[in-house]
Amino acid sequence: MPPPPAAATSLPYQCSILLRRLAASRSLPPSSFLRALRCLHARLLTAGLLHAPSHPHLTLRLTHLYTLSRDLPAAVLLFRSNPCPVAATSLVAAHAAAGRLPAAVSFFDAVPPARRDTVLHNAVISAYARASHAAPAVALFRSLLASGSLRPDDYSFTALLSAAAHLANLSVRHCAQLYCSVLKYGAGGALSVRNALIALYMKCEAPEGTRDARKVLDEMPAKDELTWTTMVVGYVRRGDIGAARSVFEEVDGKFDVVWNAMISGYVQSGMVKEAFELFRRMVLGRVLLDEFTFTSVLSACANAGFFVLGKSVHGQIIRLQPDFVPEAALPVNNALVTLYSKGGKIDDAKRIFDSMKSKDVVSWNTILSGYIESSRLDKAVEVFKEMPYKNELSWMVMVSGYVHGGRSEDALKLFNWMRAEDVKPRDYTYAGAMAACGELGALKHGKQLHGHLVQLGFEGSNSAGNALITMYGKCGAVKEAHLVFLVMPNVDSVSWNAMISALGQHGHGREALDLFDQMVAEGIYPDRISFLTVLTACNHAGLVDEGFHYFESMKRDFGIIPGEDHYARLIDLLGRAGRIGEARDLLKTIPFEPTSSIWEAILSGCRTNGDMELGAYAADQLFKMTPQHDGTYILLSNTYSAAGRWVDAARVRKLMRDRGVKKEPGCSWIEVGNKVHVFLVGDTNHPEAYEVYHFLEMVGAKMRKLGYLPDTKAVLHDMEPHQKEHILFAHSERLAVGFGLLKLPPGATVTVLKNLKICADCHAAIMFMSKAVGREIVVRDVRRFHHFKDGECSCGNYW
């Protein structure tokens, strides 16, 4: 057997073999790979082979392996000793992948211009494309053409076209010019270049872009997965789901990525049934199902409320038992948590969450939102405290959760804590804080937040502007709400709805209807919320005929089917206008079983009109639907009391006690001196209660001279008249108004908020009080605002 050639036994040859073997062993743990690489580096140094002119490939291979490891500085040191284009190319690619674009470009600059080759230019153009920097990529491509000695290749054009997709104001003309360059240099036959051209044309906003992309597609002799996926995604991005499906059906081989793109397109377009049908075809056709497939389909089912279908997909995952790596399993598990949360199975969602091997901030936000949407605020608070990391969305969800859970003070405290933690709130985060101010009637705090929004440059934000309109409206500052509406640069349907609601809530019914008509005239299509606000405005102003007109217009003119809330508003409007017979007739025409809100409107109308028979029937329906709701018992008891049927009223109150139903206590509050003062009926716990009672007695004397007489019918209990007068005198809204008149500066408007409907006597008393003291008094009860001034109320005694 002859001996091996001397070259095969030489040290350079052995080192070359070891470097190649190490390059092929990328499955090694990173620490082991780096340790072996450093050993080879040391061997090359001791043998004097590093940077040896006779073996330059050893240094280049070593440099490349360092770019694959975690030790980029070592690769940089090797490059500095010999800045050749091959080593520079490896360093450019490694630093671009790490998001360090300036460093990547510096290696290109370090190579003398005469030594730069096309491959190095391609690497830098690709780095610019990765960072979405179109202009410098185009400039570098031009310098490649201007060099005279270099010629662009397929990779040059692929990188250039990818970068050009990020050009501002990209037009079809730009694309055509680049296409001509591709053809001029003979790169038009490359599949990668054609794919990049299709992606570029699809990025154009002009309709001609899709036409030219389709032309490129039809001229391609061969197509791959990226070709079809780019076309499908491009059509979906433009909202042309039909064209996307047409392209999808042309695909030969039905690559799994293209299936996923088509399903995702259906999901984005809200076409959940089509997405699920495609998923079924995918299963039957044995097309590969991956994490993208399952995440899209589960998210679609969750958002559309198709819980049963979502469970079947979960079952499919369990049966297939796909071997997801943790990074792939994470979005699927997050989608499952969302599915079960939105399906009303929050405990199942929590079990899935607890079983997850890895979690990210999306996982935590998902289970947090699930608890809040399930009205389990205490559990949400526990999750929020446990969260190892929070982002802006986490804080926003929790702030909104507190507001919707009736804990607005906690919402503002949390918002202030967020700012103290140096979390920079966005416009939508402020929306939650302003909602809290609106619920509390904390106008001063709301104005401070408005100032912060202006300082941060969010005054042009729709979400911030809409939240401001609602906040000012709920705080009684309807003029300020209207001003915000007028200065908003862009108003949407939410803005119009918020402003119409604010006007209606303050009794400006005609103005609210005029604003609705203006909205329609300006081409803003009303939604079901728009009509709900209009019907509410009619309700507060007693505009019965107008209410019927807009109710009928919903379906006739806009194709919106009235829901239970619309019927409830219209029935309430009829009942309060004394037209309970028409309300009864309307009840018979409802195309679905009446809900609790509709029966509650009927019962309220019977209370006003004294229809005992229908009222008792409505109450029986409510007892079946919502047996623990205190409002039903109170309304029925008050109906009997108003008719003098004290025995029946007492029977209802006993039934309420026997069932363990507790009446929500009347409560009123007022903001004075940056502090909210709360009063209950007959309150003696407030530190200045004695002073308030004394002041009310003094004002009461003036009120009686003006003609005020207590309306003892408002006390729905069988007791002596003087006892009834004492109860009326100590109602919470009257105490809060008295405190405001005492403590606020002379001439300042007194604004009080109440959690229940204001009683008839307090309404009359505060009208007289406003005249006796010469002050404007505003009371927001659970239904609307009452602006009292000079002995009159903005509601016209209709509420």
Side-chain angles (χ1 to χ4, degrees):
M1 182 176 178
T9 59
S10 66
L11 183 59
Y13 179 79
Q14 292 175 2
C15 289
S16 180
I17 291 294
L18 290 172
L19 286 168
R20 280 203 298 269
R21 287 177 179 173
L22 185 59
S25 62
R26 292 295 292 126
S27 58
L28 281 174
S31 58
S32 301
F33 180 86
L34 188 57
R35 192 181 310 113
L37 181 58
R38 286 173 176 167
C39 287
L40 280 171
H41 189 174
R43 190 167 183 179
L44 289 171
L45 278 172
T46 55
L49 294 174
L50 205 60
H51 304 301
S54 58
H55 304 289
H57 67 285
L58 296 176
T59 305
L60 292 176
R61 190 177 292 277
L62 185 68
T63 304
H64 178 66
L65 288 175
Y66 268 122
T67 63
L68 298 178
S69 74
R70 296 177 178 176
D71 196 354
L72 282 179
V76 174
L77 285 174
L78 290 171
F79 170 77
R80 297 301 181 200
S81 301
N82 181 22
C84 72
V86 177
T89 301
S90 294
L91 285 163
V92 166
H95 283 78
R100 298 162 62 181
L101 182 61
V105 176
S106 71
F107 300 117
F108 174 83
D109 295 336
V111 178
R115 298 186 65 191
R116 297 171 187 166
D117 58 14
T118 301
V119 178
L120 178 57
H121 279 80
N122 294 348
V124 181
I125 295 172
S126 295
Y128 281 129
R130 181 195 290 265
S132 304
H133 293 345
V138 173
L140 187 59
F141 181 81
R142 285 175 175 166
S143 72
L144 170 66
L145 297 179
S147 66
S149 59
L150 300 177
R151 184 178 178 84
D153 58 16
D154 300 348
Y155 298 103
S156 309
F157 281 105
T158 302
L160 174 67
L161 294 170
S162 299
H166 301 288
L167 281 170
N169 302 317
L170 178 68
S171 67
V172 174
R173 182 174 58 84
H174 292 138
C175 298
Q177 289 174 345
L178 289 169
Y179 194 5
C180 288
S181 295
V182 167
L183 296 176
K184 177 182 176 181
Y185 286 93
L191 182 59
S192 62
V193 175
R194 291 276 180 170
N195 286 342
L197 269 171
I198 289 174
L200 185 66
Y201 274 119
M202 279 296 191
K203 282 289 183 73
C204 293
E205 296 298 330
E208 295 81 9
T210 55
R211 178 201 64 195
D212 293 340
R214 180 74 215 199
K215 184 179 179 182
V216 174
L217 176 75
D218 292 338
E219 293 174 353
M220 291 174 68
K223 306 169 183 69
D224 64 1
E225 191 172 34
L226 181 59
T227 314
W228 297 112
T229 305
T230 303
M231 286 297 296
V232 169
V233 171
Y235 278 122
V236 168
R237 190 181 68 85
R238 291 170 172 269
D240 193 346
I241 197 72
R245 181 59 183 263
S246 178
V247 170
F248 171 79
E249 294 297 348
E250 295 178 38
V251 179
D252 183 18
K254 296 293 189 292
F255 306 103
D256 60 293
V257 175
V258 185
W259 284 81
N260 289 341
M262 193 65 239
I263 289 174
S264 177
Y266 276 134
V267 172
Q268 292 175 36
S269 304
M271 302 170 71
V272 180
K273 291 182 180 179
E274 291 81 356
F276 198 81
E277 181 58 35
L278 204 59
F279 172 73
R280 291 183 62 188
R281 277 183 56 188
M282 200 172 178
V283 173
L284 294 173
R286 299 185 181 279
V287 181
L288 178 66
L289 305 173
D290 59 18
E291 67 273 17
F292 300 105
T293 318
F294 289 119
T295 302
S296 291
V297 175
L298 287 169
S299 299
C301 292
N303 294 334
F306 293 164
F307 178 66
V308 175
L309 288 178
K311 279 190 70 175
S312 70
V313 177
H314 189 190
Q316 186 80 8
I317 295 172
I318 294 171
R319 285 192 297 274
L320 293 175
Q321 294 184 331
D323 188 19
F324 291 139
V325 296
E327 294 78 9
L330 182 59
V332 177
N333 286 327
N334 286 344
L336 282 170
V337 173
T338 303
L339 172 73
Y340 282 92
S341 296
K342 291 190 173 183
K345 307 292 183 181
I346 186 62
D347 292 329
D348 292 332
K350 186 61 163 60
R351 277 192 286 272
I352 295 170
F353 176 81
D354 290 338
S355 69
M356 291 169 62
K357 293 180 181 178
S358 63
K359 303 179 180 73
D360 60 4
V361 70
V362 175
S363 316
W364 287 95
N365 286 344
T366 301
I367 194 65
L368 178 69
S369 300
Y371 274 125
I372 286 174
E373 290 170 6
S374 302
S375 301
R376 293 174 64 176
L377 188 56
D378 291 340
K379 283 289 186 181
V381 172
E382 290 177 12
V383 169
F384 186 78
K385 290 178 179 177
E386 291 174 15
M387 291 177 72
Y389 25 71
K390 304 176 180 72
N391 60 9
E392 288 178 17
L393 182 61
S394 316
W395 295 90
M396 185 201 73
V397 168
M398 198 63 236
V399 168
S400 299
Y402 273 132
V403 173
H404 294 301
R407 294 169 59 176
S408 294
E409 289 186 45
D410 289 327
L412 288 180
K413 289 177 183 176
L414 187 65
F415 180 78
N416 292 331
W417 177 25
M418 176 187 68
R419 296 181 64 200
E421 290 286 314
D422 204 28
V423 178
K424 302 300 181 186
R426 299 293 303 169
D427 50 351
Y428 49 79
T429 321
Y430 273 95
M434 285 185 288
C437 292
E439 294 301 320
L440 292 171
L443 181 59
K444 290 182 181 177
H445 200 135
K447 286 183 175 180
Q448 290 174 354
L449 293 178
H450 190 176
H452 294 162
L453 281 169
V454 173
Q455 289 174 356
L456 294 170
F458 293 145
E459 66 270 23
S461 160
N462 266 37
S463 63
N466 295 340
L468 280 169
I469 293 172
T470 302
M471 182 273 293
Y472 278 123
K474 286 191 172 183
C475 289
V478 69
K479 290 182 180 178
E480 287 83 349
H482 197 204
L483 181 60
V484 171
F485 177 77
L486 291 174
V487 301
M488 283 178 67
N490 298 298
V491 291
D492 54 18
S493 61
V494 178
S495 317
W496 289 91
N497 291 346
M499 193 62 237
I500 293 168
S501 177
L503 289 169
Q505 202 174 21
H506 287 265
H508 306 307
R510 293 290 180 188
E511 292 89 335
L513 300 187
D514 290 343
L515 193 63
F516 175 85
D517 292 339
Q518 182 185 341
M519 176 182 77
V520 175
E522 292 192 14
I524 304 295
Y525 202 82
D527 55 20
R528 63 182 313 278
I529 302 299
S530 307
F531 283 100
L532 198 60
T533 58
V534 165
L535 290 172
T536 302
C538 292
N539 203 341
H540 290 322
L543 304 173
V544 182
D545 294 336
E546 291 83 350
F548 262 112
H549 165 74
Y550 286 104
F551 183 84
E552 292 169 357
S553 173
M554 282 179 66
K555 186 174 181 180
R556 183 187 66 234
D557 301 328
F558 299 98
I560 300 173
I561 306 300
E564 61 171 280
D565 41 7
H566 299 99
Y567 278 100
R569 290 288 194 283
L570 188 59
I571 287 172
D572 193 40
L573 171 60
L574 290 168
R576 293 170 62 201
R579 295 159 66 168
I580 193 65
E582 292 178 60
R584 184 191 292 107
D585 294 339
L586 179 62
L587 182 65
K588 297 175 183 177
T589 68
I590 296 177
F592 49 82
E593 286 297 318
T595 60
S596 58
S597 60
I598 292 173
W599 286 119
E600 190 170 343
I602 289 287
L603 178 56
S604 179
C606 293
R607 155 82 172 85
T608 304
N609 294 272
D611 189 331
M612 302 303 305
E613 181 182 354
L614 181 58
Y617 180 76
D620 285 340
Q621 300 304 310
L622 286 167
F623 287 148
K624 295 173 186 176
M625 295 178 178
T626 54
Q628 295 300 306
H629 180 50
D630 64 326
T632 305
Y633 299 88
I634 302 302
L635 265 176
L636 183 59
S637 174
N638 291 350
T639 302
Y640 283 132
S641 298
R645 295 170 58 172
W646 303 109
V647 175
D648 290 325
R651 178 178 55 81
V652 174
R653 289 196 295 272
K654 182 179 183 301
L655 179 65
M656 185 177 179
R657 288 193 301 271
D658 293 343
R659 292 181 175 178
V661 180
K662 294 184 178 180
K663 177 184 180 296
E664 181 182 4
C667 171
S668 300
W669 59 97
I670 182 172
E671 185 180 15
V672 175
N674 295 322
K675 181 180 177 182
V676 176
H677 297 260
V678 181
F679 293 88
L680 300 175
V681 61
D683 204 330
T684 57
N685 292 324
H686 192 280
E688 297 180 74
Y690 174 78
E691 190 177 355
V692 171
Y693 281 113
H694 181 65
F695 175 78
L696 288 175
E697 286 180 2
M698 292 173 53
V699 175
K702 294 182 181 180
M703 291 161 54
R704 288 178 184 274
K705 288 182 180 178
L706 292 172
Y708 166 70
L709 289 175
D711 182 7
T712 55
K713 290 185 294 184
V715 180
L716 300 172
H717 295 277
D718 189 12
M719 56 179 61
E720 295 299 321
H722 70 277
Q723 294 175 307
K724 291 185 178 183
E725 287 188 30
H726 177 73
I727 289 175
L728 292 171
F729 181 79
H731 273 191
S732 65
E733 57 265 53
R734 209 174 300 196
L735 298 177
V737 168
F739 180 77
L741 291 171
L742 267 175
K743 297 299 179 181
L744 289 172
T749 299
V750 176
T751 302
V752 169
L753 287 78
K754 181 178 171 63
N755 66 331
L756 302 176
K757 183 181 176 182
I758 188 172
C759 79
D761 180 70
C762 284
H763 189 271
I766 296 173
M767 280 200 300
F768 279 100
M769 200 180 296
S770 68
K771 189 170 185 178
V773 299
R775 297 272 287 274
E776 182 176 1
I777 302 170
V778 178
V779 176
R780 186 190 88 186
D781 68 7
V782 72
R783 297 183 67 100
R784 60 169 300 154
F785 274 90
H786 300 268
H787 294 258
F788 300 95
K789 189 175 182 180
D790 296 328
E792 302 289 338
C793 180
S794 60
C795 74
N797 294 327
Y798 183 89
W799 83 101

